Amino acid sequence: MTNQTDSRRQFLKTAGLAVGATLLSPIENVFSAASAASQNQSAGAPSDSGPADYTLHIKTSPVEIAPKRIISVTTYNGQFPGPLLRFKEGQQATVDVFNDTDAPEQLHWHGQKISADVDGAAEEGTPFIPAHGMRRIAFTPNPAGLRFYHTHNRAGANLAAGQYSGQVGPVYIEPKENPGRYDREVFLTLKEFDPSFSRGGDMAQDFLFPPAVVKSLHDTGESEMKASLAKRMPHGYEVGYDSFTINGRMFPHGEPIRVRRGQRVLFHILNGSATEIRSLALPGHTFQVVALDGNPVPNPVRVPVLWLGTGERISAVVEMSHPGVWVLGDLADDDRRHGMGIVVEYAGSTGKALWLAPPPLKWNYARFAKAGATAAPPDETIEMTFAKDNAAEEGFNRWTINGASYPMTGEMAPAMFHVKQGRRYRIRMHNASDDIHPIHLHRHSFELTSLAGKPTAGIMKDVVMLGGYQEAEIDFVADNPGLTLFHCHQQLHMDFGFMTLFDYV
């Protein structure tokens, strides 16, 4: 796995291409229309009386990710990651969001069950935060656990926009009852910077389990790709990175995580990447996974390695029982050497931080499921097939759901799927591409009910990685009326068509 990932990164770096401003940038059309429509949201004082619980400023800021290595990115409050926002489950909160940039913005409250007008997605009808304007947002935070906030602007070919920027910050919603037993919490945000375009270079997928590939999906996808290449079409654009950070600092320049022997440390880990799947290991230690995407798991087992798709979060307890100075970092040697790591230092230990490869592990969500349980039957099943049109959008891959690509020109699109409140829906997903897709459903949580043909139950999430040429099923209850966005959380895929909408009827 490490060698393949290293090779991919080297390929992306050496095959980098300069992509000019002539390439598609869908958000520009949205900006021009939304700017005028949003001007009724005053840049002055909020209409609601009293101070907000939090204030966020969206602005371009210099961020020092290593000594004498400063990048300029759009941030929240001039820092990366954005400030940790702690809410109380079920207690209404207000946030004032000031947009100090020249373009309208969206702030998405990822993983929360809130109304469409504050969720932070233009596709659902959330108003933009106007350029040099502000918006006060009020909502009741839920469910409890690790969530996050980020921009939901599409970036297109602009590698300074969308989640390529520094607009990512953690949210923790305090549960009404806290069953966890730990001595301290540590929040980690994983993120790459200095992106560039290249052709091709898929990430290896052999870390996912079960490995079952559906032959019909494989044959169709491979046939279409061969036909495209036979017409002398190049592989579609991908994105690679030169800088890798944890909490905005490149290894070994971040502040060490200082621990004592015998401590139980609860790590809250967020993959804030625009496009990358990340792994994480700590030599000589294991992670007891207690929550996925903020939701407690039925079976909190220990694993030596964590894997997170874009937008995924893991909360895991580590018992500090192996004194020394260690590198908590990605399995990919090249990514770790370029910054994707942080030092864990025991009290009384000195010396250079050490990295040791962990024992091999296949990442299987079902490991954390409720043993012997069966998911409730759905009221209705929705079939979805995801496919790729190679390099079909000015060199970018076009993505489709059931043959339809979400408009990339900024207009609102009608909902493709219609649900009724209170009913349970099963989405049966067929991936007819060779890419992993981190699938995200807004404003709802879903239960994993089948992975590569194997039934499972009890795991609640809002993002799930679907392997190339694989199938999976997720169930959700239609319990939060309003337009609901469904999309791949990989920025390139989302920007170029991999989105659709549900509405309530």
Side-chain angles (χ1 to χ4, degrees):
M1 176 63 207
T2 299
N3 290 338
Q4 293 177 12
T5 307
D6 291 350
S7 298
R8 174 179 181 268
R9 186 184 182 281
Q10 186 61 31
F11 178 84
L12 288 169
K13 186 174 181 180
T14 58
L17 299 173
V19 178
T22 57
L23 289 174
L24 186 66
S25 186
I27 195 64
E28 293 175 1
N29 294 325
V30 178
F31 281 166
S32 60
S35 180
S38 300
Q39 290 310 309
N40 62 339
Q41 300 175 62
S42 171
S47 58
D48 297 335
S49 60
D53 296 295
Y54 290 102
T55 298
L56 296 174
H57 282 265
I58 303 170
K59 58 183 179 180
T60 302
S61 311
V63 175
E64 185 179 65
I65 59 176
K68 298 182 181 180
R69 189 161 187 173
I70 297 173
I71 59 175
S72 178
V73 292
T74 307
T75 64
Y76 296 117
N77 291 4
Q79 65 182 70
F80 181 85
L84 168 64
L85 306 185
R86 295 190 83 113
F87 300 112
K88 292 184 178 180
E89 183 183 14
Q91 182 174 311
Q92 189 180 55
T94 57
V95 181
D96 285 346
V97 186
F98 290 84
N99 180 5
D100 301 334
T101 74
D102 295 330
E105 265 292 349
Q106 287 283 1
L107 189 153
H108 171 47
W109 299 100
H110 183 119
Q112 293 203 49
K113 184 181 173 182
I114 55 180
S115 61
D117 65 324
V118 296
D119 186 51
E123 296 80 9
E124 296 172 340
T126 309
F128 277 87
I129 305 159
H132 303 289
M134 69 86 59
R135 188 177 183 219
R136 168 163 285 193
I137 297 169
F139 57 93
T140 301
N142 77 102
L146 181 60
R147 315 287 155 184
F148 76 114
Y149 60 101
H150 63 88
T151 180
H152 214 281
N153 279 356
R154 282 181 270 170
N158 183 357
L159 291 180
Q163 222 165 312
Y164 300 117
S165 72
Q167 294 176 79
V168 177
V171 168
Y172 191 73
I173 302 174
E174 303 281 357
K176 293 177 181 177
E177 296 181 4
N178 189 350
R181 187 173 66 84
Y182 53 88
D183 299 304
R184 60 176 295 204
E185 294 175 294
V186 173
F187 289 82
L188 302 177
T189 299
L190 317 181
K191 183 78 164 67
E192 309 84 11
F193 292 101
D194 296 325
S196 60
F197 284 117
S198 70
R199 293 285 192 186
D202 292 328
M203 181 173 185
Q205 302 185 35
D206 58 358
F207 67 93
L208 278 178
F209 187 90
V213 166
V214 178
K215 186 176 186 302
S216 59
L217 295 174
H218 175 273
D219 292 349
T220 299
E222 292 297 306
S223 176
E224 291 180 356
M225 178 59 74
K226 288 177 182 177
S228 172
L229 298 177
K231 295 177 183 177
R232 297 188 178 181
M233 291 287 286
H235 284 284
Y237 289 113
E238 301 288 348
V239 175
Y241 303 88
D242 283 334
S243 301
F244 299 74
T245 70
I246 295 182
N247 287 353
R249 297 287 284 180
M250 299 176 67
F251 174 79
H253 305 294
E255 184 70 17
I257 301 169
R258 294 183 172 89
V259 301
R260 299 189 308 274
R261 185 168 189 167
Q263 275 188 323
R264 286 172 57 87
V265 179
L266 176 58
F267 285 92
H268 295 296
I269 302 157
L270 158 65
N271 182 0
S273 177
T275 60
E276 295 294 291
I277 295 166
R278 297 259 59 103
S279 59
L280 206 62
L282 177 60
H285 299 77
T286 58
F287 301 90
Q288 184 181 29
V289 175
V290 296
L292 296 174
D293 293 348
N295 305 305
V297 298
N299 186 27
V301 298
R302 287 182 170 85
V303 293
V305 180
L306 304 176
W307 285 93
L308 304 94
T310 58
E312 285 192 292
R313 291 90 64 210
I314 295 176
S315 296
V317 173
V318 177
E319 295 185 2
M320 294 301 165
S321 57
H322 193 50
V325 183
W326 306 105
V327 180
L328 172 63
D330 198 286
L331 296 189
D333 293 338
D334 201 45
D335 291 359
R336 201 175 56 256
R337 284 193 293 263
H338 284 81
M340 191 54 74
I342 190 170
V343 175
V344 173
E345 180 182 283
Y346 277 76
S349 297
T350 59
K352 183 179 179 181
L354 298 178
W355 167 260
L356 299 171
L361 173 82
K362 299 292 185 180
W363 186 249
N364 183 5
Y365 293 112
R367 187 188 307 269
F368 312 105
K370 188 174 183 180
T374 302
D379 296 306
E380 185 177 334
T381 298
I382 297 169
E383 303 282 348
M384 289 190 188
T385 298
F386 312 139
K388 173 169 62 178
D389 295 334
N390 178 55
E393 290 289 341
E394 300 189 40
F396 290 90
N397 298 321
R398 180 198 296 127
W399 295 93
T400 62
I401 299 176
N402 291 355
S405 185
Y406 195 91
M408 287 165 270
T409 49
E411 72 269 20
M412 292 286 289
M416 181 183 290
F417 302 99
H418 312 286
V419 298
K420 294 181 180 179
Q421 189 166 1
R423 290 173 66 84
R424 181 182 177 94
Y425 292 87
R426 177 160 296 168
I427 305 176
R428 183 173 292 142
M429 303 179 294
H430 313 270
N431 184 3
S433 77
D434 57 353
D435 293 59
I436 295 179
H437 298 298
I439 301 297
H440 175 43
L441 179 66
H442 281 225
R443 307 193 314 108
H444 299 75
S445 294
F446 52 73
E447 182 179 9
L448 305 188
T449 54
S450 178
L451 297 165
K454 296 185 178 297
T456 186
I459 301 174
M460 302 300 296
K461 296 187 94 277
D462 54 60
V463 179
V464 63
M465 287 185 283
L466 176 60
Y469 303 130
Q470 289 199 341
E471 295 177 336
E473 295 176 359
I474 58 176
D475 286 16
F476 75 98
V477 175
D479 58 1
N480 193 16
L483 285 172
T484 300
L485 190 62
F486 175 97
H487 66 93
C488 180
H489 214 279
Q490 211 268 33
Q491 183 87 45
L492 271 179
H493 300 177
M494 180 185 83
D495 286 351
F496 291 93
F498 202 142
M499 295 196 295
T500 192
L501 284 166
F502 290 83
D503 68 0
Y504 281 67
V505 294

